[in-house]
Amino acid sequence: MKTNILSLIQDDIKISRLIGVLENLDISASSYYLGNVTVIFSLMGISNTEQNQEFYQLLLEQADDLEKYRTPESFSKLAEEVYERLGERV
């Protein structure tokens, strides 16, 4: 189960980065979000509240640092960190 959740988080990290780059180019891209957060929260037993969604989004936005997060290994590490931080909300 954890592997599947980490995969969903990694997908969200990639999409979040893409959206950030597109918005920096003045391209509206907010509709590209996959909605994985609902599935992730459900699988982890986390309440799907606006506060938790905002917390999750803030965690994902760490990946906007293109220098720090530019390898698959760094995405995996960030996904693990997000997973652990979300686990504290159960």
Side-chain angles (χ1 to χ4, degrees), residues 9 11-20 23 29-30 32-37 40-41 49-64 78 82 86 89:
I9 293 171
D11 288 346
D12 273 352
I13 290 169
K14 293 172 190 173
I15 293 296
S16 179
R17 279 178 60 129
L18 172 63
I19 290 169
E23 288 180 349
S30 62
Y32 289 113
Y33 284 106
L34 300 175
N36 287 346
V37 67
I40 292 166
F41 284 5
T49 64
E50 185 175 334
Q51 182 182 14
N52 284 340
Q53 287 184 11
E54 288 174 7
F55 177 71
Y56 178 71
Q57 190 59 40
L58 285 174
L59 294 174
L60 294 183
E61 287 175 4
Q62 295 176 68
D64 289 348
L78 179 58
V82 170
L86 288 176
R89 296 200 165 239

Side-chain angles (χ1 to χ4, degrees), residues 31-87:
S31 64
Y32 289 113
Y33 284 106
L34 300 175
N36 287 346
V37 67
T38 304
V39 176
I40 292 166
F41 284 5
S42 176
L43 292 173
M44 292 184 73
I46 298 170
S47 298
N48 193 3
T49 64
E50 185 175 334
Q51 182 182 14
N52 284 340
Q53 287 184 11
E54 288 174 7
F55 177 71
Y56 178 71
Q57 190 59 40
L58 285 174
L59 294 174
L60 294 183
E61 287 175 4
Q62 295 176 68
D64 289 348
D65 182 345
L66 299 178
E67 289 300 313
K68 184 175 181 181
Y69 299 102
R70 62 180 174 184
T71 65
E73 293 80 21
S74 63
F75 284 157
S76 295
K77 183 178 177 185
L78 179 58
E80 283 278 350
E81 291 173 17
V82 170
Y83 179 85
E84 294 301 323
R85 296 285 307 274
L86 288 176

